[in-house]
Amino acid sequence: MEGSSRRPTINDVARMAGVSKKTVSRVINESPFVKEDTRKAVQTIIRETGYAPDPQARGLAFRRSFLVGLIYDNPNPQHTVSHQQGLLDAMAGSGFELVVRPVDRTSPRLLDEMRVFIERQKLFGVVLPSPVSEDERLAALLQELDVRYVRIGSVALDEPGRMLVSHDGKGAAEAARHLADLGHTRIALISGPTSFRSSVERRKGFESGLAERGLSLDPALVKVGGYTYESGVGAAKELLALKARPTAVFCLNDEMATGVYTAAREAGLRIPEDVSVVGFDDSSIASRLWPPMSSVRLPLRDMGRIAGEMLVPNPLRDKPKVQPDIQPELIVRASSAKVG
C-alpha cells in the first residue's frame, strides 16, 4: 500500500496476511473460531495499513447498524459528556458511531419508547450509565431484543461481562475518614435523590467511614439535594443558618458542592477556615474553584472508554484480557482543613 492514496480494503488485508477474506471478517468481529496467532497477524496488518471496515457494508451484511446508543437520564451534564468522550475514544477507528439518547426514566412510556428507538436504529449495542443502568426492565428488554449492553453502576447489578462497577461507597468512606482525621465531628451531608442508587451507596459508604472513626451522622445535618448546583445552594443555606452549624459539608457530587461555595460566601463564611467542603466525582470545576475543592475522583471519561471497549470490537485494539476494576480516589485540595 506504500505510496498509494487508495484506501486499503479487506482484500488487501487478507492478501497481506495470507488468509481468506472470511478470516479477516471473523477477526474484525471477534469470532472465537480464529487461531490466536492468525488473529494477531491480521490485527497487525490492520493497524499497519490503517484499514477501517465500512460500516454501511457491514450493516447490510449483518442486518444491524453499526451504531452504539448511550441512553442516559442524569441532571449533571458534565457526567454524561465525560462518558460520551470516553465512548468516542473507545470507538475511534472501529467503524462504529455513537447515538446519544436522553430519557425520562420515570416515564410510564419508557420501555415502549426504548423498544422503538432500539429497533428503528438497529443498534449494535447500548451503554447504560447510572441511574438508567439500575432499571432491570430496560436490561430485560435489551436481552429480549438480543442487543449487547454494558451497565455502569455503583454496585454490581449484572454479570461481569455486562457490568462496570465504580464502587462509589469506597470513595465516600474515604471522604468521611479524611474529614474525621482533620478533627471534624459536626459533619453535614448533602445527598442526591434517594431514587439514585449512587446516592444510596455513597451515603452508606460515608456513614461507614464515620463509624470507623467512632462518629455517626446527625440526621439534623442531612439534606437531600437533586445532584444540581441550585439544590446544593438551597441545602447549604439551611445548614449554614443553623445555630450549631456544621464545620464540614460532604456533598455527593461536585455540582452540589459548588452550591455550598455560593451559600458560604453569601453567609460571610470562609472556606476552609469556617467550613470545609468535599465533593464527589472530581469534575473539572473542582480544581477551578477558589480555593480548589477536595473531591472523590471517579474517572468518568475512562469509565466511558472501558464500557466502550467491553462493548465494541475494534480491530485496532487487542481485546482486554482482564475485567477492569474502577476504584475511586480522594483528591485532597485546599477546601478541607483542620477544625479551628
Side-chain angles (χ1 to χ4, degrees), residues 7 28 46-47 50-55 58 87-97 312-317:
R7 289 182 59 186
I28 291 169
I46 288 173
R47 282 193 292 267
Y51 168 71
D54 179 67
R58 293 175 72 195
L87 278 166
L88 292 173
D89 291 340
M91 292 161 58
S94 69
F96 285 80
E97 300 293 342
V312 174
N314 190 333
L316 303 182
R317 180 189 66 238

Side-chain angles (χ1 to χ4, degrees), residues 1 6-9 12-13 16 42-52 316:
M1 302 300 297
R6 180 174 66 85
R7 289 182 59 186
T9 68
D12 294 322
V13 175
M16 296 172 73
V42 171
Q43 288 175 335
T44 298
I45 298 298
I46 288 173
R47 282 193 292 267
E48 290 176 350
T49 61
Y51 168 71
L316 303 182

Side-chain angles (χ1 to χ4, degrees), residues 173-189:
E174 189 177 355
R177 292 190 292 268
H178 168 65
L179 290 172
D181 291 344
L182 290 173
H184 295 280
T185 56
R186 286 191 60 75
I187 304 173
L189 173 72

Side-chain angles (χ1 to χ4, degrees), residues 96-169:
F96 285 80
E97 300 293 342
L98 182 64
V99 181
V100 180
R101 180 64 155 81
V103 299
D104 175 4
R105 68 191 181 105
T106 65
S107 169
R109 292 189 47 78
L110 174 64
L111 293 183
D112 291 336
E113 291 171 354
M114 288 301 94
R115 181 183 290 274
V116 170
F117 168 64
I118 293 163
E119 291 182 337
R120 181 174 294 163
Q121 299 295 332
K122 296 183 174 61
L123 294 180
F124 172 86
V126 172
V127 173
L128 304 172
S130 61
V132 172
S133 62
E134 299 156 14
D135 193 325
E136 296 296 339
R137 301 170 307 154
L138 186 52
L141 173 64
L142 291 166
Q143 291 178 39
E144 176 195 332
L145 297 176
D146 194 26
V147 175
R148 301 185 188 192
Y149 66 86
V150 174
R151 302 162 80 175
I152 302 175
S154 53
V155 294
L157 302 168
D158 212 319
E159 60 185 63
R162 291 172 169 168
M163 193 74 225
L164 182 60
V165 182
S166 55
H167 304 288
D168 293 30

